[in-house]
Every structure is written in structure tokens, then in C-alpha cells.
Amino acid sequence: VVGDSMLAIWYSEALSAETRVRPCRAALEMITAVTDFNNNINGPKLPVRIGLHSGHVSIGTVGAIDHYEYRAVGDCVNTASRLEGLNKHLKTRILVSENVIAGIDEFLTRPLGRFILVGKINSVLVHELICERDKAHKGQFLLCETFSRALDAYRKKQWDEAILLFEEILETTPEDGPSRFYLSLCREFLIEPPPNGWEGSVSLAAK
């Protein structure tokens, strides 16, 4: 338990695909469990946001003699935390880095673009983890395909085309947070274009 959240680590000597599949499955099972819980209670619903990242960490005792704890530290842990927070901006529930899903085909994911997370210099390619691929329905595949075209137009600074595609998504899926997020950016860039050298990355100033 870290503050008001939980940190889980899947440890392996090598960052194999098998090791990275397990946290993805766990995340999807958590969403299913929380959704079932929320559907069966009266009153406030339990929110959940998950961020997954893969990399090297250091594990050991941190602190002084009178106050110390056994914990994992490192950029990997921090990036996972930042991905969890990015869910708030995109109105998503499970965000994973490219490091996590590279070489894995059993999940349906949606690339959401490159983000410069709070406190970072380099951008991270972020995906939304949607479901296991064999359980996905036609509407989810269509959403991913249309969003991919819209994001491509955004990167190419084709604001009008991107706006039309994001609006098309929101007509059928009004709760889609990533489309609403990028639609707002496109409208801003129509008024004030991004600076020279812009490569499509989104820089976040807040968690």
C-alpha cells in the first residue's frame, strides 16, 4: 500500500512476454471485479485507475533506523504511477506503456499517442488496455480503427480532419475520454498552432 493506492510487482529475471501478460490479465480482472461490485451496491461507486509499466527496479529497505520500509524504487515505479494518474485526464481505467505490451498479441489495445508525463523529459508511448482480443466485439475494433485514423490526422496537424473523426467517435461513444481529450486539443491548435518542431507528443503539467 502506497498512500491511497496499491503497488504490485511481477518479478522475473528477464522481461519476458509471459511475465508481462500476467499483470495485464490481473488488471482486466480487477476492472471486472470492481464493475460487478459497483453494479450491486447502492451509494457511491468505487473508482479504479491502473497504470502498468515494465522495466528495472531496485528493491530493498529504504529510510532511516527509526523509520524505514521495504519497497521498490526507480524510474519504472514512478512511470507506472504517472500512467495511473494519466487515466484522470483521459477518463480511462487501464493505461499501459509500449514496454508492457510489446510482442503480446492476446489483448486488444488502443495506442493513445506519446505523452511527456509529469516530471519526465522523454515521452512514453501509451496504450489503453481494453480487453482480451478473443472477447472483443465489433464496436471495440471499430473504435480502435477510427481513433487510429483520427490520431494520425492529429499528428499530421490536419486539425479539421481529426476533429471530424473524433466527433464521429463521440456520436456513437459519447463517454470516450481519449477522443474528447484530443478533440479539445485540436480545437485549441486551430486557434494557436503548436510550436515548430512539435512531433505530436502531449506534455502534462499536472498529475
Side-chain angles (χ1 to χ4, degrees), residues 121-192:
I121 297 176
N122 298 320
S123 62
V124 176
L125 181 55
V126 177
H127 295 248
E128 179 186 15
L129 178 61
I130 298 175
C131 63
E132 293 185 43
R133 184 172 288 274
D134 60 2
K135 296 179 180 179
H137 56 73
K138 182 179 179 180
Q140 291 171 316
F141 284 110
L142 179 60
L143 169 64
C144 291
E145 191 276 330
T146 306
F147 187 89
S148 178
R149 290 191 289 126
L151 191 59
D152 185 58
Y154 166 83
R155 293 195 195 100
K156 294 177 179 177
K157 304 181 184 180
Q158 298 170 350
W159 314 123
D160 290 328
E161 175 67 13
I163 287 173
L164 286 175
L165 289 168
F166 286 128
E167 288 179 337
E168 178 183 325
I169 292 173
L170 291 170
E171 285 178 3
T172 57
T173 316
E175 72 279 5
D176 189 57
S179 293
R180 198 167 295 282
F181 177 86
Y182 275 106
L183 178 60
S184 177
L185 284 181
C186 288
R187 287 172 173 167
E188 291 177 11
F189 286 149
L190 269 177
I191 300 172
E192 185 176 349

Side-chain angles (χ1 to χ4, degrees), residues 5 20 22 33 40 46 55 61 63 67 70 75 88 95-96 98 110 122 126 138 147 149-150 152 158 162 207:
S5 63
R20 291 179 281 115
R22 285 185 285 155
N40 288 283
L46 179 67
T61 301
H67 181 77
Y70 186 76
D75 183 70
K88 290 185 288 186
L95 294 180
V96 305
E98 178 74 7
R110 172 169 50 155
N122 298 320
V126 177
K138 182 179 179 180
F147 187 89
R149 290 191 289 126
D152 185 58
Q158 298 170 350
K207 297 180 183 179

Side-chain angles (χ1 to χ4, degrees), residues 45-106:
K45 307 301 182 182
L46 179 67
V48 61
R49 297 187 301 267
I50 301 171
L52 300 179
H53 187 48
S54 175
H56 297 282
V57 299
S58 296
I59 303 177
T61 301
V62 179
I65 294 177
D66 59 341
H67 181 77
Y68 61 90
E69 57 185 6
Y70 186 76
R71 60 179 298 184
V73 296
D75 183 70
C76 181
V77 176
N78 184 263
T79 298
S81 175
R82 295 292 184 258
L83 287 170
E84 181 274 322
L86 180 59
N87 282 289
K88 290 185 288 186
H89 297 275
L90 299 180
K91 309 302 181 187
T92 46
R93 295 192 292 181
I94 309 175
L95 294 180
V96 305
S97 68
E98 178 74 7
N99 292 27
V100 173
I101 62 165
I104 297 175
D105 299 322
E106 58 192 89

